[in-house]
Amino acid sequence: MANAQHVISLGLPRRLADLLVVEKLISQKQLEEVLAAQRQGGDKLGTILIEKGFIKEEQLLEFLSQQVGISYVSLSSMEISEDVVASVPETLARQHTLIPCNKSKDRITVAVADPLNVMVLDDLKMMTGCDVKAVLASETEILAALDKFYKSASSQEVLDEIVKQSNVSAEAAEGIEAVEDKPEEEDIVSLEKSAEDAPVIKMVNLILAGAVKAHASDIHIEAFPKDIRVRYRIDGVLHEQPAPPKKFHNAITTRVKIMSNLNIAERRVPQDGRMKLKIEGKEIDLRVSVLPCTPGEKIVMRILDSSGLRVQMSQLGFEPEPLAVFKKCMEMPYGINLITGPTGSGKSTTLYSALANLNTPDTNIMTAEDPVEYQLHGINQVQCNPQVGLTFAAALRSFLRQDPDVIMVGEVRDLETASIAINAALTGHLVFTTLHTNDAPSSITRLGMMGVEPFLISASVLMVEAQRLVRGICPKCREAYEVDLGWLVKLGVPEQQLQSQGGKVTLYKGKGCEHCASTGYRGRVGLYEVLEVTDAVRAAVLDKAPARDLKNLAIKQGMLTLRMCAIRKLLAGMTTVEEMIRVTASDVDT
């Protein structure tokens, strides 16, 4: 009989335990005694059977082999190469009581003590990139092989060797005191090894898969002195998630860096990278940013799911009037169309939708982006890299020698880029680009502040579109409620829009359910403010009119502001009062 202390992981489902009685390998009375012992102590059935001497370990393994359909082998009669053993980390092998015993180009054979632990086989397949075949072996033999191949010196032996080589006495070594903590000098080999451990791989995979399942746009992993915080940005709002213990932070960071092809040894400066994953059959791109902070590096991953990219303008959520203006300016032969809004407001989606609508075999479309978020077939996309001199301005200069019809510049950041974009528009090219401003009229002012002359702005800009995203009400738990008309008027809702409602107005909100994680919101709705540069607006720009005057003029010409669009979505039951106030500014003071 095997030593009981070695039989620590041999699980046995009740169904197989009953079969032992049927096969007369144990009696019904012995089974009942084992079940009672399990209820009292919590050990696994197979362990208790062997401890009590009701069955030998070899008998039980042969029985399991027949029932589960896994071959039973004796490791003592096998020759195992050290190279084969090196393909599996020691921590994983010891944790799951297994050892690799054979390996070919695309298959690895692993001897396991518990044939019912199929999860570890999946982890091995993901980690090694090979098909994994399991064979059954005695736990005693596996533990002996682990001690043989993964033999490591004890901490005292290591200390003795260090003392011996450094000619420092043990007493002196014990008296050494650390003066300065330098975490960046941590052993890189140890970091890399810990990042390849199965628990760390599983943690990172769970975080990534959970974010995709929750339809998150970003993942935040932050370190604090005593813990880690994991948050998902869902529908524009951060939500905290269950987090692993603090001790795993360095290993998780290293794992993410390895997946993103970043330098795991560099922990002093920010790093940016990308990774591509396949989750539930979908290809997902992640843009990774690592930032050194005091308690540890912070990771932010932007999820770029091309399967969810809407390229039809009608699907974006435009109101009919601004959509008509947008399409009109989008189809002009030359000029600049400006898209504005803060980070995460959907500017890239709007740009890609516009380009997809213009993407025909007779049109040469070129884009300069930093980074390229989505690959679009038929469009020449350039990844800008300022570190090697490929700035937006440099890319634009090259574009003009590439016979383009339509040009998209990721962002106008300086006067040089703005001047080249305007020159392209004035020489017969249709240009799309973005700015970071609060609304459409202030974009005109922003170009002026950059140093662009008013006559160039009025001559080149076709339209400015500003946008925001508000959270939509969850359709599963949406419920109606009534509010006073006067209360909405105080919030800035025009009274003429409420005249048909009577004294009470019906609005909607989400109660909270499993479908929306009890938030009451699911998905997001776009708000679009489109300022067309008409002759009247051009005259105002030439007169250097302030943004407020430009806004009043545009409203008189029929422009819907962001707040007006939000009010329409509110009265249509698509979003809430809270979202309207959170995302848009009032037009009352205009």
Side-chain angles (χ1 to χ4, degrees):
M1 183 182 71
N3 191 329
Q5 69 178 355
H6 288 319
V7 188
I8 56 175
S9 64
L10 195 52
L12 189 69
R14 175 63 190 274
R15 177 181 61 83
L16 292 181
D18 289 333
L19 280 177
L20 286 172
V21 177
V22 174
E23 296 292 328
K24 297 183 179 179
L25 293 172
I26 62 172
S27 66
Q28 183 65 38
K29 183 178 179 182
Q30 287 173 330
L31 175 59
E32 290 173 0
E33 183 179 335
V34 169
L35 290 171
Q38 187 195 41
R39 284 193 293 270
Q40 185 174 359
D43 289 334
K44 295 182 177 180
L45 289 177
T47 303
I48 302 170
L49 280 168
I50 297 171
E51 283 180 347
K52 289 186 174 292
F54 294 156
I55 192 171
K56 291 183 179 180
E57 184 178 14
E58 291 77 11
Q59 284 181 290
L60 183 56
L61 290 173
E62 287 177 358
F63 167 78
L64 284 174
S65 171
Q66 295 170 2
Q67 298 298 324
V68 181
I70 296 178
S71 303
Y72 172 57
V73 299
S74 173
L75 293 180
S76 58
S77 61
M78 297 181 67
E79 290 187 8
I80 303 175
S81 161
E82 290 188 2
D83 292 337
V84 172
V85 175
S87 61
V88 176
E90 179 183 0
T91 50
L92 177 65
R94 290 194 180 277
Q95 181 183 359
H96 296 284
T97 319
L98 58 85
I99 192 161
C101 51
N102 198 2
K103 190 174 188 294
S104 63
K105 183 179 179 182
D106 55 0
R107 172 176 283 193
I108 183 170
T109 303
V110 181
V112 298
D114 184 358
L116 303 174
N117 185 5
V118 294
M119 296 294 290
V120 69
L121 303 181
D122 293 336
D123 290 341
L124 275 174
K125 183 175 181 179
M126 185 180 299
M127 185 181 68
T128 62
C130 299
D131 290 332
V132 180
K133 177 186 176 183
V135 295
L136 197 56
S138 160
E139 187 164 4
T140 308
E141 289 187 340
I142 292 176
L143 290 173
L146 287 172
D147 291 337
K148 175 184 176 182
F149 289 103
Y150 291 114
K151 186 176 181 181
S152 56
S154 68
S155 58
Q156 185 58 47
E157 288 173 337
V158 173
L159 178 60
D160 291 344
E161 185 64 23
I162 292 172
V163 169
K164 180 181 176 182
Q165 292 184 6
S166 60
N167 296 319
V168 177
S169 67
E171 292 77 11
E174 289 177 357
I176 293 174
E177 197 173 88
V179 176
E180 185 179 2
D181 181 36
K182 295 184 178 180
E184 66 273 10
E185 294 180 0
E186 186 173 347
D187 183 10
I188 300 306
V189 175
S190 300
L191 272 176
E192 194 164 8
K193 186 177 178 182
S194 66
E196 296 297 337
D197 284 350
V200 175
I201 292 173
K202 188 171 287 187
M203 281 178 207
V204 174
N205 289 347
L206 283 172
I207 291 171
L208 297 176
V212 172
K213 187 177 180 181
H215 303 286
S217 61
D218 301 86
I219 304 168
H220 292 235
I221 303 175
E222 303 157 292
F224 295 96
K226 294 184 179 179
D227 59 7
I228 298 175
R229 182 167 68 178
V230 176
R231 294 185 291 175
Y232 295 161
R233 187 175 293 280
I234 303 171
D235 296 333
V237 178
L238 286 168
H239 297 270
E240 195 161 352
Q241 306 296 318
K246 174 69 191 285
K247 65 180 181 180
F248 289 106
H249 179 257
N250 283 345
I252 289 172
T253 303
T254 304
R255 174 66 183 165
V256 171
K257 285 183 177 180
I258 290 171
M259 295 172 75
S260 310
N261 294 316
L262 299 178
N263 184 358
I264 65 172
E266 182 56 75
R267 302 168 67 184
R268 299 163 298 175
V269 297
Q271 296 189 69
D272 296 312
R274 290 184 78 123
M275 68 172 82
K276 180 172 281 190
L277 304 173
K278 197 167 188 177
I279 300 176
E280 296 181 352
K282 292 194 301 184
E283 281 198 357
I284 307 292
D285 283 315
L286 288 96
R287 196 172 73 215
V288 181
S289 171
V290 182
L291 179 72
C293 296
T294 305
E297 290 172 293
K298 174 177 178 176
I299 300 169
V300 175
M301 291 177 272
R302 167 65 57 89
I303 300 173
L304 306 171
D305 182 4
S306 58
S307 66
L309 180 64
R310 296 174 180 172
V311 293
Q312 295 299 321
M313 300 295 299
S314 58
Q315 297 177 353
L316 296 178
F318 274 91
E319 295 297 324
E321 301 95 316
L323 179 59
V325 175
F326 191 100
K327 283 186 172 181
K328 172 187 169 184
C329 296
M330 184 181 77
E331 294 168 358
M332 296 291 282
Y334 55 86
I336 294 180
N337 292 309
L338 280 173
I339 313 296
T340 78
T343 302
S345 61
K347 297 190 300 295
S348 295
T349 301
T350 302
L351 282 169
Y352 284 131
S353 298
L355 294 179
N357 279 268
L358 296 171
N359 188 14
T360 57
D362 59 351
T363 304
N364 180 20
I365 302 176
M366 308 198 70
T367 75
E369 304 171 61
D370 184 16
V372 175
E373 295 190 359
Y374 301 104
Q375 297 281 350
L376 294 178
H377 179 70
I379 294 177
N380 305 286
Q381 296 172 269
V382 174
Q383 169 71 58
C384 289
N385 185 354
Q387 293 180 349
V388 297
L390 185 53
T391 60
F392 284 130
L396 265 174
R397 285 195 199 94
S398 297
F399 284 1
L400 296 177
R401 295 189 291 271
Q402 289 280 322
D403 187 29
D405 297 302
V406 179
I407 295 172
M408 191 271 272
V409 189
E411 184 182 350
V412 172
R413 295 176 178 171
D414 50 42
L415 177 59
E416 183 183 17
T417 309
S419 298
I420 300 170
I422 288 171
N423 181 57
L426 294 175
T427 53
H429 303 92
L430 186 63
V431 180
F432 291 85
T433 189
T434 71
L435 274 176
H436 287 275
T437 56
N438 290 326
D439 58 11
S442 61
S443 299
I444 304 291
T445 308
R446 176 74 193 281
L447 286 174
M449 291 172 63
M450 281 177 151
V452 181
E453 292 294 337
F455 74 89
L456 290 174
I457 298 173
S458 64
S460 61
V461 177
L462 296 172
M463 68 145 188
V464 185
E465 182 262 317
Q467 62 185 70
R468 296 290 190 279
L469 294 174
V470 291
R471 289 184 290 174
I473 300 171
C474 174
K476 301 285 186 180
C477 60
R478 180 173 176 264
E479 59 181 16
Y481 68 102
E482 289 187 340
V483 297
D484 291 331
L485 185 147
W487 182 71
L488 285 176
V489 172
K490 288 180 181 178
L491 288 177
V493 179
E495 195 168 351
Q496 58 269 25
Q497 283 189 250
L498 304 172
Q499 287 176 352
S500 62
Q501 302 284 339
K504 296 282 186 179
V505 180
T506 301
L507 300 179
Y508 296 86
K509 62 181 179 180
K511 187 177 181 181
C513 64
E514 291 183 3
H515 184 65
C516 61
S518 300
T519 62
Y521 297 99
R522 181 76 173 183
R524 286 191 285 180
V525 180
L527 308 177
Y528 302 92
E529 174 181 292
V530 180
L531 167 60
E532 182 181 6
V533 181
T534 61
D535 290 340
V537 173
R538 288 191 184 94
V541 171
L542 287 171
D543 289 340
K544 298 183 180 181
R548 177 177 294 182
D549 292 347
L550 287 172
K551 186 172 185 177
N552 286 331
L553 175 60
I555 291 172
K556 288 178 182 177
Q557 294 184 155
M559 182 186 83
L560 293 178
T561 66
L562 290 168
R563 173 56 67 91
M564 291 175 186
C565 292
I567 290 170
R568 286 196 181 187
K569 305 293 186 190
L570 173 70
L571 297 178
M574 299 171 70
T575 191
T576 63
V577 173
E578 291 78 10
E579 279 296 286
M580 180 186 79
I581 295 171
R582 181 180 73 88
V583 174
T584 65
S586 174
D587 296 324
V588 173
D589 296 329
T590 303

